[in-house]
Amino acid sequence: MKYKVLLSIDIMEEFTVHNPLEPDLSGTTGMTESEIAPRFDFDYGVGLGCLLFSFSIFYYTSLGALMNGIFVLPWSLAAIYSVWLMNAGKLRWFWKKQHPEYLHHRLLLGYVWLVSCFTLNRSMPVFDPSAPWLMFAIVIAGVSAIAFTWNEYLPRWLQSILFTLMGCSVVIWIYYALCLIPYYILSVPALLLLGVSVHSFVPLLLSITYLRVLALWWHEFRPAILTGVIIPIAITVYFSMAWRRISNTIRHQTNAIATQPTDDLPNWVMLARQIEDNWITRRVLMGPKVYQVAHSDGTIFSRRNTTDIVVRHDPLVLIASLFTPKLDLADAEQINILNVLYDTRHETQERLWSGSDLRTANVLTQARIYPHMRIAYTEKTISIANHSGSPRWQEEALYTFFLPEGSVVSALSLWIDGIEQKSLLTSQSKADSSYKTIVGVESRDPSVVHWQEGNMVKVKVFPCTARENRKFKLGITTPLKADGPQLTYENISFKGPGAEKATETIRLEFPQELQAPHLPFEPTNASPGVIIHEGAYQSAWKVGFKITPVSRESFAFDGKTYTVEPRHKTLENFKAKAFYLDINQAWSKRELDALWPVVRKRPVFVANGRLIRLTEANKDEQFKALSAFNFSLFPVQYIPDPENALLITKSTAVSPTLHDLANAPFSKTLSRHAPQGLRTFLVGDGASSYIKSLNELSIVRAEQTDWKALLEMIPQNQFPSDPEADPSVVSIESADIQIRESEGPASGRAPDHLLRLFAYNHIMKQLGGRFLNHSFQTDSVFNAKLIREAEIAHIVTPVSSMVVLENQEDYDRFDIRKSKNSLENATLKVAGAVPEPHEWLLIALFSLLIGYFTFRHYVQ
C-alpha cells in the first residue's frame, strides 16, 4: 500500500523549519510501506540502553539520593546519543532535510532528553514534582513511543490503541512546550554559555516530531488519533468548568456565613463542615498549598513552600487556576480546613529548619506485651538519613506519632556522638524554649517531644546531616485493646521524613505460656515468648492474642500502690429527662427512624445553630440539614440540665480539635460552662477528635455501644455506672481494665507502666474545662501540682514534655533538672521485664545464696 502526505513537497519546504527531532516528509510520496515502516536496528538498541541508564539515574534521585551535578550524567547520555545518530546519518541539523524512515529514532531520542529534563528539574526546579496520574501518563507515553517501532507487526485493533495513546501524548508535550515559552528567550543566548538551556526546547521539539508522525498516519488512523487528542482536552475543559463552579459555590457559602447572625464557631469551621467533599473540591481547597497554580503575577513556576506539604504539578489544576480567581480565604483559614478535612496537621506544623532532604532509613520496633495486665510497652528507635549531598547542611527532623487511645509517652533518647542520652522531663514551656533557643540560634544538638491533642505526640530532632545517620528512640506505654475474645496490640505509626524505602526490625516479647499470636507478617526468627521479623517498614499492623483474665498485680512507689483490676461493668438506673442527638454525616435516616420511637416521649433536641427540639413535623427536615454536615461540634455547654441529660453521638473521623477552636466564643463558653461527666452513648467504633478530647477531659462520659444495645438500655432507663466515681480509680475502657491507687506499699512485680497510665489519665481528668482556656498555665499552684505528678511518672502530658540537650550546662542554663523521687525513662531492660528461663534460674540461685548466708547461724 502507498502512504500519502497532507501537503505538497514545495509547501512543506517553504513553511517547515527542520530540527534534529523533527522528520522531513519531503520525498515520501511513492515510498513503500517497508521503506517507511519503523525497523529495530543497532542504533535504536543503543538509544534504548541510554534511556534505561538515564531512567535508572532518575529513579535513584527519586529515592532521595540527590547529589550535586548528578543531572550531568543523563544530559551527557542524551548529547552522546544525539551525536551517535548524527554520525549514523539518522539525525541531521535543523536546516537540513530529515528522512521519515528514522521517525522512531527521533522519538526515542526525545525521551532520552526528557529523562535528562526531569533529572535536571530536581536540581533546578521549574516544575514541582508531578502528580501521580501525570507520572503514569508520561510513562505510558514513553512506552507507546517505543511500541511504535513495532507498529507494523501489531493487529489492527492494537494499532488503533497505540495511535490513541500517541494522540494523548502529543497533547501532554504541547502543554509542556506552552508552559516553557517564558524560558525560550533566555535559553537561546544561554546555549552559548550553559548548554543545559537546551532542555527548555525538548518538549517543543518532541511535540513537532509527534505531529509529523501523526500527520503521516492521519488517513490510516484518523479516528484513533482524534480520540487520543480529544480525550485529554475534554477532561481538562470539564475539570476547569467544575473547578470554577465549585470555587463560586465556596465563595457564595463564605459570603452567606459572613452575613449570618453571630455564631460561636469561626467562619472557617462552618465552611469546612458544609463543603461538598469530592476529588475536585479537595484540589480547589488545597490550591497553592498542595498544587502548583497560576500566581497573581501571571507566573506558573515553582515557588518556595512554607509548609512540609509536597507541592505537586498537576496540569488540570494549573490550567483551571488560570481561569478562576483565587479563593478569598486567609492562609490560616485554608490551613485549618486542610488540617480538619484532609489530615495535614503534620505537614503544616511549625518548623525552624527545613527537612526536605531527610529520609527515614531504618526503624527498630521492640515491644514487651503483658496480656494478663492488658498493657504493652513499645520502643521505636528511628534512624534518619540526610540525602542533601552536602556534609555541612543541617536539617530538622519532625515526626508525628499516632498513639492508640489511652497511650502515653514514657521515654525519649537521642544519640549524641554515638552515645545514647536519655531525656529529662520538664514543663512544656521550658522544653519548647530551650529547643527553640538552641536550634534557632545556636544550631546544636537537642530533641524534644510534645503532647498533642488527638492521641498524637510531636518529636523534633536536630541537627540531621549527611555525615552520619541521626538516631532517636521513643518509648510508649499503651493499653491493649480488648475486643471480644481477643486482645489486640496496635503498632504505633508515624508521619515524618519519607519511610517508603526504610527497613524495619520488629521484636515482640510476651509470656512464654501464651498461645502463639495472630501475626500480619511472617516471622524471620521465633522462639518461645519472642517473635522477630525483618523486612520493609510497615506503617499499620496489629497482632492479636487470645484474651486472658486480668491478673490483679501491683506496682508500689513512693508509699502508694497501683493495682490493675478488671473494669466493673454494672448498670445504674438512669432516666434521662431529655435526649440530645449529635447528628452529622455519619448518621443514616434508617438509624434515626429506629431511635425515634424509643426517645420521642421525652424532649429530644438537636444542635443546628442553636438547640432545636425535634418533633414529628420537623424531624425529617432537621435530619436532612444536619446529615449533610461533614462533622459536628455539639455544644454541650448549652445543655441546661446536664446531670439528667443523655447525649447520643455517632461521629465521622474528622473534626476540629479543641486547640483549633482556641479563642473562639464557642471555646470560651465551653470552658466556663463545661459539664462534668455528661452521660454519652458513642455509637460505633470510632469517634471524632472533638468527642475524644471531651471524653479524655471528663467533660463527657462516653460509653461505646451499638444500636442494638442502645435501643435496649434506653427503654429500661439504664446507663453503665462510672467506675471513676471513686477518685482513686482510673478507667481504661479500650482495655476493659481499671487501675486503682491505694496508700501503703505492697508486694508485687507489675511493671511501672501502671503508675504511668494512672498518672496520665488522672492529670487529664483534673484538667477538664481548664484545658480549653489554658487557665491551668496561669494558675501556678495548680500547674505545678500537675507537673509534679507528671514528673513522678515521667510522662508527656499537656503540661509536661521531654527534652534531650547536648550537655549539663544546657540543662542548667534553662533550669531543667532531674526529678527527685520519681520514675525515670521507661526501658525494656527493667521495669517489669518478663524473665527468660535462664534468668529464673539465676534468680533462684541468688535467692538460695541469700537465704543460706542469712540463716546459717540459726542452723548452727
Side-chain angles (χ1 to χ4, degrees), residues 139-161:
V139 171
I140 293 299
V143 171
S144 63
I146 294 173
F148 172 70
T149 306
W150 292 274
N151 172 52
E152 63 177 279
Y153 303 106
L154 301 177
R156 179 73 182 187
W157 65 272
L158 201 54
Q159 287 180 321
S160 297
I161 294 176

Side-chain angles (χ1 to χ4, degrees), residues 251-533:
R251 194 171 289 107
H252 296 327
Q253 289 175 332
T254 304
N255 293 336
I257 290 170
T259 60
Q260 288 181 2
T262 303
D263 196 287
D264 285 353
L265 293 171
N267 288 351
W268 70 263
V269 173
M270 300 176 67
L271 177 63
R273 72 178 182 179
Q274 67 187 51
I275 287 174
E276 181 184 356
D277 187 14
N278 58 51
W279 69 282
I280 298 180
T281 303
R282 293 188 181 195
R283 284 154 178 78
V284 173
L285 289 172
M286 290 176 175
K289 301 296 180 186
V290 181
Y291 292 101
Q292 190 171 350
V293 299
H295 303 292
S296 57
D297 58 3
T299 59
I300 62 174
F301 300 111
S302 177
R303 292 187 174 184
R304 185 179 181 272
N305 184 28
T306 57
T307 68
D308 201 33
I309 298 175
V310 177
V311 177
R312 297 287 182 182
H313 170 220
D314 188 325
L316 295 177
V317 173
L318 196 152
I319 292 172
S321 68
L322 284 170
F323 304 102
T324 306
K326 182 183 177 182
L327 288 178
D328 188 19
L329 290 174
D331 282 350
E333 291 179 317
Q334 193 169 5
I335 287 175
N336 282 332
I337 293 175
L338 294 179
N339 289 345
V340 170
L341 295 182
Y342 309 121
D343 189 25
T344 60
R345 297 185 191 279
H346 170 79
E347 291 81 0
T348 57
Q349 288 190 64
E350 178 189 22
R351 276 186 172 277
L352 298 178
W353 291 68
S354 170
S356 58
D357 297 308
L358 301 182
R359 300 292 183 271
T360 300
N362 182 67
V363 180
L364 171 60
T365 301
Q366 300 182 86
R368 177 165 289 136
I369 300 168
Y370 307 88
H372 56 294
M373 286 181 285
R374 311 270 173 91
I375 60 176
Y377 173 65
T378 305
E379 287 184 350
K380 289 275 185 180
T381 305
I382 295 180
S383 179
I384 310 162
N386 186 327
H387 293 293
S388 64
S390 173
R392 296 185 178 181
W393 183 249
Q394 297 179 327
E395 297 195 21
E396 179 186 30
L398 172 64
Y399 284 84
T400 298
F401 287 83
F402 302 93
L403 312 183
E405 187 176 351
S407 303
V408 60
V409 169
S410 48
L412 172 69
S413 293
L414 178 67
W415 272 255
I416 300 176
D417 296 328
I419 300 173
E420 180 183 1
Q421 302 290 346
K422 295 182 179 295
S423 68
L424 295 186
L425 190 118
T426 186
S427 66
Q428 190 178 72
S429 58
K430 282 186 181 180
D432 194 50
S433 174
S434 62
Y435 182 86
K436 287 182 176 179
T437 300
I438 293 176
V439 171
V441 179
E442 302 171 12
S443 303
R444 292 190 290 113
D445 294 67
S447 179
V448 68
V449 54
H450 290 304
W451 179 91
Q452 286 191 306
E453 190 181 348
N455 299 316
M456 297 184 292
V457 294
K458 173 176 62 178
V459 178
K460 291 184 176 181
V461 178
F462 184 87
C464 301
T465 67
R467 288 193 298 268
E468 61 179 1
N469 288 0
R470 202 69 201 266
K471 189 163 66 172
F472 76 94
K473 179 173 69 179
L474 191 70
I476 305 106
T477 299
T478 306
L480 298 177
K481 185 176 181 180
D483 187 10
Q486 181 170 282
L487 283 176
T488 302
Y489 168 82
E490 297 182 22
N491 178 47
I492 289 92
S493 60
F494 62 81
K495 281 187 178 180
E500 297 82 7
K501 303 300 178 181
T503 57
E504 182 178 25
T505 299
I506 301 171
R507 187 182 190 276
L508 304 178
E509 183 179 337
F510 49 89
Q512 294 184 13
E513 66 274 10
L514 199 68
Q515 193 176 34
H518 301 287
L519 300 173
F521 45 73
E522 288 293 329
T524 53
N525 192 4
S527 59
V530 177
I531 289 176
I532 298 175
H533 170 76

Side-chain angles (χ1 to χ4, degrees), residues 636-648:
V636 296
Q637 65 270 30
Y638 294 137
I639 295 177
D641 185 13
E643 293 183 359
N644 295 298
L646 179 63
L647 174 65
I648 301 173

Side-chain angles (χ1 to χ4, degrees), residues 49-223:
C50 292
L51 180 63
L52 180 61
F53 190 70
S54 296
F55 186 80
S56 299
I57 297 172
F58 175 76
Y59 180 74
Y60 180 68
T61 62
S62 71
L63 301 181
L66 184 60
M67 296 183 296
N68 294 332
I70 197 171
F71 68 88
V72 172
L73 293 177
W75 175 33
S76 301
L77 284 173
I80 290 171
Y81 187 53
S82 300
V83 174
W84 181 285
L85 289 181
M86 293 182 69
N87 185 60
K90 297 177 180 178
L91 181 68
R92 308 180 73 181
W93 292 107
F94 64 90
W95 60 79
K96 295 184 178 180
K97 295 181 179 179
Q98 308 290 318
H99 200 283
E101 182 182 356
Y102 307 122
L103 283 172
H104 58 299
H105 290 87
R106 284 184 280 278
L107 278 177
L108 181 61
L109 175 63
Y111 279 94
V112 174
W113 274 105
L114 276 172
V115 175
S116 179
C117 288
F118 284 110
T119 306
L120 175 63
N121 191 68
R122 294 191 188 278
S123 301
M124 303 171 59
V126 173
F127 296 100
D128 288 308
S130 301
W133 76 262
L134 180 59
M135 290 188 287
F136 178 77
I138 291 173
V139 171
I140 293 299
V143 171
S144 63
I146 294 173
F148 172 70
T149 306
W150 292 274
N151 172 52
E152 63 177 279
Y153 303 106
L154 301 177
R156 179 73 182 187
W157 65 272
L158 201 54
Q159 287 180 321
S160 297
I161 294 176
L162 175 63
F163 279 99
T164 300
L165 293 176
M166 295 186 73
C168 293
S169 302
V170 73
V171 175
I172 292 175
W173 303 125
I174 289 176
Y175 160 80
Y176 273 100
L178 293 174
C179 286
L180 290 169
I181 286 176
Y183 279 83
Y184 293 162
I185 297 176
L186 295 175
S187 296
V188 172
L191 286 172
L192 302 176
L193 301 174
L194 298 171
V196 294
S197 64
V198 71
H199 292 89
S200 303
F201 300 100
V202 171
L204 174 63
L205 299 177
L206 186 58
S207 299
I208 295 173
T209 303
Y210 263 104
L211 290 173
R212 291 297 185 179
V213 171
L214 298 180
L216 192 60
W217 270 267
W218 172 255
H219 290 292
E220 189 78 11
F221 295 100
R222 181 185 301 175

Side-chain angles (χ1 to χ4, degrees), residues 409-412 423-425 756 789-796 802 819 822-826:
V409 169
S410 48
L412 172 69
S423 68
L424 295 186
L425 190 118
R756 301 182 197 272
E789 189 171 353
E791 285 178 342
I792 292 173
H794 199 84
I795 55 174
V796 173
M802 292 179 188
S819 305
S822 63
L823 299 181
E824 298 183 355
N825 287 270

Side-chain angles (χ1 to χ4, degrees), residues 631-825:
F631 56 83
S632 57
L633 298 169
F634 198 93
V636 296
Q637 65 270 30
Y638 294 137
I639 295 177
D641 185 13
E643 293 183 359
N644 295 298
L646 179 63
L647 174 65
I648 301 173
T649 180
K650 184 182 180 185
S651 305
T652 57
V654 300
S655 81
T657 63
L658 295 178
H659 176 75
D660 295 332
L661 304 174
N663 301 321
F666 182 93
S667 180
K668 293 177 180 178
T669 56
L670 181 58
S671 66
R672 291 194 300 267
H673 305 293
Q676 184 68 27
L678 172 67
R679 292 176 176 87
T680 302
F681 275 125
L682 174 58
V683 183
D685 296 330
S688 67
S689 298
Y690 174 71
I691 292 296
K692 284 180 179 179
S693 295
L694 294 185
N695 188 46
E696 200 168 28
L697 296 168
S698 297
I699 294 173
V700 304
R701 178 157 64 90
E703 294 289 338
Q704 204 157 22
T705 186
D706 54 35
W707 286 111
K708 181 180 179 182
L710 174 67
L711 297 177
E712 291 175 355
M713 280 189 280
I714 291 178
Q716 296 175 12
N717 297 321
Q718 292 179 331
F719 191 84
S721 61
D722 183 12
E724 293 187 352
D726 182 349
S728 65
V729 171
V730 298
S731 175
I732 303 176
E733 183 181 2
S734 61
D736 202 18
I737 59 171
Q738 60 188 39
I739 302 174
R740 184 181 300 275
E741 180 187 63
S742 57
E743 296 291 336
S747 59
R749 62 184 191 89
D752 57 19
H753 302 296
L754 293 183
L755 168 54
R756 301 182 197 272
L757 288 176
F758 181 91
Y760 176 74
N761 285 275
H762 192 246
I763 290 171
M764 297 301 296
K765 185 177 180 181
Q766 293 178 79
L767 279 172
R770 294 193 180 196
F771 176 80
L772 301 164
N773 58 10
H774 302 285
S775 62
F776 66 91
Q777 295 177 341
T778 57
D779 187 339
S780 58
V781 175
F782 180 72
N783 194 39
K785 175 189 172 184
L786 296 183
I787 292 175
R788 177 54 189 160
E789 189 171 353
E791 285 178 342
I792 292 173
H794 199 84
I795 55 174
V796 173
T797 69
V799 299
S800 60
S801 298
M802 292 179 188
V803 63
V804 180
L805 302 182
E806 188 171 0
N807 50 51
Q808 186 59 46
E809 288 75 16
D810 288 333
Y811 288 114
D812 294 338
R813 180 154 57 107
F814 295 101
D815 193 27
I816 299 174
R817 305 185 186 282
K818 187 175 182 179
S819 305
K820 297 180 180 179
N821 194 29
S822 63
L823 299 181
E824 298 183 355
N825 287 270

